[in-house]
């Protein structure tokens, strides 16, 4: 039970913004929201994480709804290298297990 | 950069064989994880270890065991491999000093014939 819901797939054009949604309606007050992505033939890599506030880093932005029941990963300008499976995960402790779901397959068109 | 190394990229074994998948990390991380990845099912956690000689079952531990005798090494053991254990196996590690991201290896594609 991944406890998050994501669309199976999304498509985007190169250099356009991409908004990847995630629903986590049963999230508890102390659960973090993490995003990882998996490029073809590689293990997943960390993208971003947050608790309550919106977060930005060099890879992406994370927008968290005020009620924390959903979040959106934002890629500001998609490139072909961003084509990957994106996983949204929630976890309650720093060392607890992270349960991945099926993720969203992002296709980026030239 | 943290490196998580899995001993084999591809492995072919026969039904009933005992299989060892090895994972080594070089950043003194306390936590280590084994996942398997299958088409349509995403990543599923098999076992994790939060310290040397400590282990906890994940979501699908049946048919697997693990060993963590040294901090840097986490082994996944298939006591008697079966065809339904054909899968991509991914190892990951993380420090437990506050929030830290998971670092994954490149995976081992295991085929059990």
């Amino acid at each position: 039970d991944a406890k998050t819901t994501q669309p199976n797939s999304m498509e985007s054009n190169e250099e356009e913004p991409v908004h990847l949604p995630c629903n986590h309606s049963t999230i508890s007050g102390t659960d973090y929201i993490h995003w990882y992505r998996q490029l073809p033939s590689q293990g997943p890599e960390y993208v971003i994480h947050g608790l309550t506030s919106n977060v930005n880093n060099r890879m992406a932005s994370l927008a968290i709804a005020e009620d924390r029941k959903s979040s959106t990963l934002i890629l500001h300008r998609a490139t072909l290298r961003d084509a990957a499976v994106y996983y949204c995960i929630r976890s309650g402790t720093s060392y607890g297990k992270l349960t991945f779901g099926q993720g969203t397959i992002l296709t980026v068109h030239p | 950069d943290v490196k998580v190394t899995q001993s084999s990229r591809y492995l072919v074994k026969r039904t009933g064989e005992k299989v060892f998948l090895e994972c080594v990390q070089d950043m003194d991380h306390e936590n280590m994880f084994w996942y398997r990845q299958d088409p349509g099912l995403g990543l599923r956690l098999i076992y994790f270890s939060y310290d040397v000689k400590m282990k906890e079952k994940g979501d699908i531990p049946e048919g697997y065991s693990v060993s963590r005798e040294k901090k840097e090494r986490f082994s996944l053991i298939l006591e008697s491999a079966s065809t339904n254990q054909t899968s991509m196996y991914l190892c990951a590690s993380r420090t437990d000093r506050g929030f830290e991201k998971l670092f994954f290896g490149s995976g081992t594609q295991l085929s059990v014939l």
Side-chain angles (χ1 to χ4, degrees), chain A residues 42-78:
Chain A
Q42 294 186 27
E45 63 176 354
Y46 168 83
V47 177
I48 201 166
H49 78 282
L51 184 61
T52 55
S53 315
N54 294 345
V55 185
N56 300 293
N57 67 22
R58 63 174 180 82
M59 289 180 73
S61 296
L62 176 60
I64 302 171
E66 197 169 334
D67 63 6
R68 299 206 337 118
K69 293 185 177 182
S70 65
S71 61
T72 302
L73 179 71
I74 302 164
L75 307 179
H76 295 285
R77 289 182 65 191

Side-chain angles (χ1 to χ4, degrees), chain B residues 31-95:
Chain B
N31 306 154
M32 296 189 74
F33 304 77
W34 274 107
Y35 292 87
R36 65 176 282 178
Q37 183 170 32
D38 301 288
L41 296 176
L43 276 78
R44 293 180 291 167
L45 181 65
I46 305 171
Y47 265 97
F48 69 101
S49 167
Y50 50 90
D51 209 340
V52 177
K53 297 192 186 293
M54 303 298 218
K55 61 186 179 185
E56 292 224 4
K57 294 180 181 178
D59 299 314
I60 51 162
E62 296 78 19
Y64 303 94
S65 62
V66 290
S67 172
R68 183 117 182 254
E69 295 297 318
K70 293 185 178 180
K71 194 174 187 179
E72 67 271 18
R73 186 180 298 270
F74 192 34
S75 303
L76 181 68
I77 304 157
L78 288 67
E79 293 289 342
S80 178
S82 63
T83 54
N84 63 13
Q85 292 178 310
T86 291
S87 185
M88 170 66 78
Y89 289 87
L90 289 156
C91 175
S93 74
R94 178 176 62 180
T95 183

Side-chain angles (χ1 to χ4, degrees), chain A residues 34 36 38 94 96 98 102, chain B residues 35 37 40 59 94 99 102:
Chain A
H34 312 243
Y36 284 76
Q38 187 172 20
S94 63
L98 291 185
Q102 295 189 42
Chain B
Y35 292 87
Q37 183 170 32
D59 299 314
R94 178 176 62 180
F99 173 83
L102 275 174

